[in-house]
């Protein structure tokens, strides 16, 4: 604003002779920003409408606030929320459910966001929801790292207890034994992990289908790729177009894997393997 006023001043003489005061310039800039954002929303909706005309299965919803600003947005498999609160997540999950024709996910992995957990419990009450194990351990290691460094036997007992317990009873028994053996009843971080155990310890999810997944690694990997396509300076329309380009690349990779599976059969030794080969791509079958 100072540069704008200086330019006007240089053209019109003294400050008192200027036709605008600083507040006028500020209001004008705010007006331009509002108009620009409104145009961006309109252009994004027009882009989505074009997609919907070309593809009857295309789905999108945009939620505005009282000032006509985007509050939440969902299309393809992408959701944007302005405020990461329960209301925002609940809208997002309900919109996802609408997009999926009422078909809810059976299993969900998220970070430790309790607003998200509240939304999941409301919209997907039958889903098995677990917290990302990597995030929980990574956070705990901020205090447990030095603590374990001085107690290597305790660290080994911790890993054995968490990673190798096959039942809830075995895990809880091993944990109690570990706590008593090493006299760490007063460790607050271990106490916190114990209180949250039903959300992240593998033994509590043995009867549920989480193939090769205990963390949000796939989601984090996608976020890293996404950052190569978009930036904070992108408009909504630019973001939507770049996200579409990324989706097409991922779809192309999936189609290539399916083609490879159709052309090259893995070595099959049992009836079960023959069944699996008809269901999975070669990459997943080999895992």
């Amino acid at each position: 604003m100072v540069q704008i006023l200086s330019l006007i001043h240089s053209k019109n003489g003294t400050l008192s002779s200027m036709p605008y005061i600083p507040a006028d310039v500020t209001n004008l800039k705010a007006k331009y920003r509002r108009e620009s954002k409104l145009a961006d929303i309109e252009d994004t909706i027009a882009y989505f409408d074009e997609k919907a005309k070309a593809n009857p299965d295309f789905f999108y919803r945009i939620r505005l606030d009282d000032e006509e600003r985007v509050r939440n947005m969902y299309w393809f498999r992408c959701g944007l929320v302005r405020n990461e609160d329960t209301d925002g997540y609940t809208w997002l999950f309900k919109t996802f459910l609408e997009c999926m024709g009422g078909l809810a996910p059976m299993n969900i992995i998220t970070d430790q966001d309790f607003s998200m957990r509240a939304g999941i419990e409301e919209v997907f009450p039958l889903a098995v929801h677990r917290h990302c194990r990597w995030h929980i351990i990574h956070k705990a290691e901020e205090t447990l790292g030095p603590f374990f460094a001085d107690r290597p036997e305790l660290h080994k007992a911790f890993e054995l207890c968490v990673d190798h317990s096959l039942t809830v009873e075995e895990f809880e028994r091993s944990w109690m034994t570990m706590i008593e053996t090493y006299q760490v009843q007063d460790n607050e971080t271990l106490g916190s992990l114990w209180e949250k155990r039903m959300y992240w310890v593998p033994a509590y999810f043995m009867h549920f289908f989480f193939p090769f997944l205990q963390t949000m690694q796939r989601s984090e990997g996608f976020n890293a790729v996404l950052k190569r396509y978009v930036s904070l300076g992108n408009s909504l329309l630019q973001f939507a177009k770049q996200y579409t380009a990324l989706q097409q690349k991922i779809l192309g990779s999936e189609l290539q894997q399916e083609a490879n599976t159709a052309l090259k059969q893995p070595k099959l030794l049992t009836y079960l393997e023959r069944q699996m080969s008809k269901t999975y791509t070669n990459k997943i079958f080999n895992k």
Side-chain angles (χ1 to χ4, degrees):
M1 187 179 72
V2 173
Q3 293 176 334
I4 295 174
L5 289 175
S6 298
L7 179 61
I8 297 175
H9 174 253
S10 66
K11 296 290 185 181
N12 294 277
T14 64
L15 189 64
S16 60
S17 66
M18 289 173 55
Y20 303 103
I21 61 174
D24 293 327
V25 178
T26 300
N27 292 336
L28 185 61
K29 288 177 66 180
K31 178 176 179 290
Y32 285 153
R33 280 196 296 268
R34 285 195 301 270
E35 291 176 350
S36 176
K37 289 179 179 179
L38 181 59
D40 183 30
I41 296 170
E42 292 174 345
D43 290 342
T44 303
I45 293 175
Y47 172 71
F48 287 159
D49 285 339
E50 289 180 8
K51 289 282 188 183
K53 289 178 182 178
N55 180 5
D57 293 328
F58 182 85
F59 178 96
Y60 81 91
R61 294 288 185 270
I62 294 179
R63 182 191 190 194
L64 305 179
D65 63 15
D66 295 337
E67 299 179 10
E68 297 297 309
R69 297 177 301 176
V70 173
R71 187 173 181 181
N72 305 107
M73 187 164 72
Y74 179 89
W75 80 101
F76 314 125
R77 290 170 287 181
C78 179
L80 299 178
V81 292
R82 191 172 71 197
N83 298 318
E84 296 183 34
D85 54 19
T86 301
D87 177 71
Y89 286 127
T90 300
W91 180 91
L92 182 65
F93 298 146
K94 286 182 177 179
T95 305
F96 171 85
L97 199 59
E98 179 188 358
C99 176
M100 296 297 293
L103 184 63
M106 297 173 60
N107 303 314
I108 301 173
I109 301 178
T110 70
D111 61 14
Q112 298 181 79
D113 189 313
F114 287 94
S115 295
M116 188 181 296
R117 169 167 283 277
I120 290 171
E121 290 176 351
E122 178 177 343
V123 183
F124 308 128
L126 300 181
V128 177
H129 180 201
R130 68 190 293 181
H131 289 168
C132 173
R133 174 185 169 183
W134 183 88
H135 279 97
I136 291 175
I137 295 297
H138 183 70
K139 181 68 176 178
E141 282 180 348
E142 293 178 3
T143 54
L144 284 181
F147 188 73
F148 281 156
D150 296 332
R151 301 166 179 83
E153 292 301 316
L154 171 61
H155 191 193
K156 182 178 179 181
F158 174 85
E159 291 181 337
L160 286 172
C161 175
V162 171
D163 294 334
H164 297 282
S165 295
L166 297 180
T167 66
V168 170
E169 294 76 14
E170 181 183 358
F171 164 75
E172 293 185 350
R173 185 171 59 250
S174 298
W175 184 278
M176 292 300 181
T177 300
M178 175 188 74
I179 296 297
E180 293 175 6
T181 300
Y182 297 97
Q183 292 295 297
V184 287
Q185 292 89 341
D186 296 332
N187 186 281
E188 293 182 0
T189 303
L190 289 174
S192 176
L193 290 175
W194 170 256
E195 290 174 0
K196 300 172 184 175
R197 63 193 182 280
M198 290 184 291
Y199 296 144
W200 68 276
V201 174
Y204 289 87
F205 301 95
M206 287 296 181
H207 294 89
F208 304 104
F209 190 60
F210 287 89
F212 315 117
L213 294 174
Q214 293 187 37
T215 72
M216 295 170 57
Q217 184 176 4
R218 286 187 62 185
S219 176
E220 298 292 346
F222 177 81
N223 289 341
V225 174
L226 182 62
K227 289 177 182 178
R228 298 204 295 265
Y229 281 74
V230 300
S231 68
L232 291 174
N234 286 148
S235 65
L236 280 177
L237 179 60
Q238 290 171 328
F239 180 90
K241 289 184 175 181
Q242 288 296 92
Y243 189 89
T244 301
L246 176 57
Q247 274 198 317
Q248 293 301 318
K249 182 176 181 180
I250 293 173
L251 179 60
S253 176
E254 291 176 352
L255 291 174
Q256 183 63 52
Q257 288 188 38
E258 291 181 4
N260 293 339
T261 299
L263 294 172
K264 185 179 180 181
Q265 285 288 325
K267 293 181 179 180
L268 306 175
L269 301 178
T270 66
Y271 175 74
L272 176 60
E273 288 182 350
R274 284 195 293 274
Q275 283 186 310
M276 293 173 62
S277 70
K278 297 176 182 179
T279 304
Y280 299 113
T281 62
N282 287 350
K283 183 177 180 180
I284 298 299
F285 177 87
N286 289 332
K287 282 191 176 183

